[in-house]
Amino acid sequence: MKLLVTGGAGYIGSHTCVELLNENHDVVVLDNLSNSSEESLNRVKQITGKSLEFYKADLLNKQQIAAVFADHKIDAVIHFAGLKAVGESVSTPLKYFHNNITGTLNLLEVMTEFNVKNIVFSSSATVYGDPASLPITEEFPLSATNPYGRTKLMIEAILKDLYHSDKSWNIALLRYFNPVGAHQSGDIGEDPLGIPNNLVPYIAQVAMGFLPRLSVFGNDYDTPDGTGVRDFIHVVDLALGHVKTLPKLLTHKGLMIYNLGTGQGYSVLEMIKGFEKASGKKIPYKVVDRRPGDIGACWADPAKAKKALGWEASKTLADMCQDTWNWQKKNPNGYRQSIKEKREHH
Ligand code: NAD
Ligand code: WQD
């Protein structure tokens, strides 16, 4: 198949490109590089020994999207492109609504124009809000606690309405839990600009000595050790979930929704311990107040994806920590040459 991967230079997109190329799919990437670097795609080519086409293009520019569809007969789109920082979405909601919603509408309009009606969308466990019980199945009620999460809910609703208006669309909504880790080569991984917002990249930078200590956001949650519990999933398992979704999308057809998680929750303290073991470094930490908007615990019921897609996560907590550490050590400044260049970019 020939796939258009929007946001393919980003963290999850680049790992998915590797697995798509490994399955001999043709890959076209569209990315505006607002939160990524073209170097990730050079690494994807290096890892797979295969090539892909890259368009530096913005979903906010319909002509730029249309140019890609005019050049290639696309079979399906995997739509990763979007802004994803929860805190930033609270301070600049319009930027998030414009980029994520308008960007998606532009993409869907161009797809309609070119009669390409197969799409896999990156949704998130954030659409479950603060769940009433665990594990979370796809039927749980949906809500949003911040503008970022609201963009995911709104795009899900747009895609559902689109499907109801025209049943020839095939749409997969994949709700990711907490992606972490990196490709085992250590050549691609998560490369946050500035100080990381998320737990695992933050721990990795503490282990490198770039940040003095981790702040643990609360130890008074209703969890075994009081710290937050999440369903951390290795990014390569997540990438393989996309590969497994494609044949289902084209044979089963219609609108489908799957949780992509492991079904297992780990606490913040367990993640610290796992990372200390993988890196051989002590991770200094201090317990501070809860982070506003955080929930106590969240993990998936992944049974539906297993049954329908024949997919399940297979990598362990040790793999997640080891692969993150390997990537971080091999690329102390991510894809940029120097810390100075990284700061200037930011
Ligand atoms: P990322 O920031 O690494 O990748 C997103 C990519 O989209 C970046 O390369 C960015 O440059 C690109 N992009 C953003 N706006 C664009 C635009 N207007 N036009 C073209 N390209 C644009 O993020 P990621 O972690 O790889 O996430 C990928 C998708 O998965 C996102 O939609 C995100 O919301 C979703 N998701 C991520 C997580 C997570 O924790 N990482 C969890 C659940 C869902
Ligand atoms: C995990 C746990 C924190 C940082 C976010 C988005 C969600 C989804 C995935 C996109 C929590 C604790 C964290 C730190 C800490 N993204 N923590 N100190 O919040 O579960 O999910 O990313 O869809 O929408 O909200 O992930 O990695 O930020 O936090 O103690 O410095 O680690 O309180 O319990 P989160 P996270």
Side-chain angles (χ1 to χ4, degrees):
M1 288 171 76
K2 187 176 260 195
L3 301 160
L4 173 63
V5 182
T6 76
Y11 172 47
I12 306 172
S14 57
H15 288 81
T16 302
C17 287
V18 166
E19 302 308 327
L20 292 170
L21 291 170
N22 284 343
E23 287 290 312
N24 294 319
H25 292 297
D26 291 325
V27 174
V28 179
V29 168
L30 179 160
D31 200 303
N32 66 0
L33 303 181
S34 60
N35 195 39
S36 54
S37 152
E38 197 178 341
E39 178 59 15
S40 66
L41 297 174
N42 296 332
R43 307 281 181 93
V44 166
K45 293 181 208 160
Q46 187 186 303
I47 290 168
T48 59
K50 295 189 173 148
S51 87
L52 55 76
E53 287 243 24
F54 173 57
Y55 289 78
K56 184 170 188 295
D58 199 315
L59 289 182
L60 296 176
N61 184 323
K62 267 178 91 170
Q63 279 77 36
Q64 289 181 1
I65 307 173
V68 179
F69 283 86
D71 286 355
H72 300 275
K73 205 190 156 314
I74 301 294
D75 295 303
V77 176
I78 306 184
H79 178 32
F80 292 106
L83 298 172
K84 64 161 181 177
V86 171
E88 189 188 44
S89 81
V90 174
S91 49
T92 55
L94 297 183
K95 177 177 163 191
Y96 271 67
F97 290 122
H98 189 53
N99 190 75
N100 293 4
I101 309 283
T102 308
T104 301
L105 290 174
N106 286 343
L107 173 67
L108 295 171
E109 283 168 6
V110 175
M111 288 176 70
T112 307
E113 206 178 297
F114 285 84
N115 201 30
V116 177
K117 295 186 175 176
N118 301 312
I119 185 167
V120 178
F121 173 61
S122 299
S123 189
S124 165
T126 192
V127 301
Y128 297 115
D130 193 353
S133 64
L134 294 163
I136 299 170
T137 69
E138 289 81 355
E139 286 70 43
F140 270 37
L142 305 180
S143 67
T145 51
N146 57 68
Y148 164 73
R150 215 166 334 274
T151 70
K152 292 296 175 196
L153 270 185
M154 291 166 85
I155 295 168
E156 283 203 2
I158 289 166
L159 288 167
K160 287 171 192 169
D161 283 344
L162 180 61
Y163 174 69
H164 291 303
S165 75
D166 175 357
K167 297 278 178 9
S168 66
W169 278 86
N170 299 307
I171 300 174
L173 309 179
L174 301 183
R175 295 177 178 155
Y176 314 152
F177 282 67
N178 286 58
V180 297
H183 190 262
Q184 66 177 25
S185 64
D187 291 334
I188 55 173
E190 188 168 10
D191 181 21
L193 289 171
I195 296 177
N197 300 308
N198 297 112
L199 178 67
V200 171
Y202 201 106
I203 294 179
Q205 295 203 11
V206 172
M208 290 296 288
F210 295 163
L211 295 166
R213 83 185 65 76
L214 173 74
S215 295
V216 173
F217 297 142
N219 65 356
D220 56 352
Y221 285 106
D222 184 16
T223 60
D225 66 23
T227 65
V229 169
R230 295 291 183 275
D231 187 335
F232 296 99
I233 175 168
H234 196 294
V235 66
V236 172
D237 278 332
L238 191 66
L240 289 167
H242 294 74
V243 173
K244 292 281 195 176
T245 298
L246 291 170
K248 184 76 182 176
L249 187 70
L250 299 186
T251 57
H252 169 92
K253 299 189 175 293
L255 175 79
M256 53 198 83
I257 305 178
Y258 301 110
N259 284 340
L260 297 186
T262 67
Q264 158 92 54
Y266 289 109
S267 74
V268 174
L269 295 184
E270 285 174 313
M271 294 308 284
I272 295 174
K273 282 207 196 79
F275 211 86
E276 286 182 335
K277 204 163 167 210
S279 65
K281 308 268 182 196
K282 189 93 200 121
I283 310 293
Y285 71 86
K286 185 169 181 268
V287 178
V288 301
D289 286 349
R290 292 181 179 194
R291 182 171 63 179
D294 269 359
I295 59 174
C298 169
W299 66 87
D301 180 340
K304 190 180 175 197
K306 184 177 178 184
K307 188 155 180 256
L309 308 176
W311 169 89
E312 66 184 318
S314 65
K315 292 187 181 275
T316 63
L317 173 66
D319 297 328
M320 299 179 208
C321 295
Q322 193 59 58
D323 292 339
T324 303
W325 180 234
N326 186 31
W327 149 255
Q328 181 72 66
K329 254 188 332 189
K330 262 181 110 168
N331 304 273
N333 307 312
Y335 294 115
R336 279 155 294 271
Q337 299 296 316
S338 65
I339 287 197
K340 186 166 168 282
E341 197 184 316
K342 185 163 180 162
R343 291 215 179 99
E344 276 165 6
H345 185 89
H346 191 53

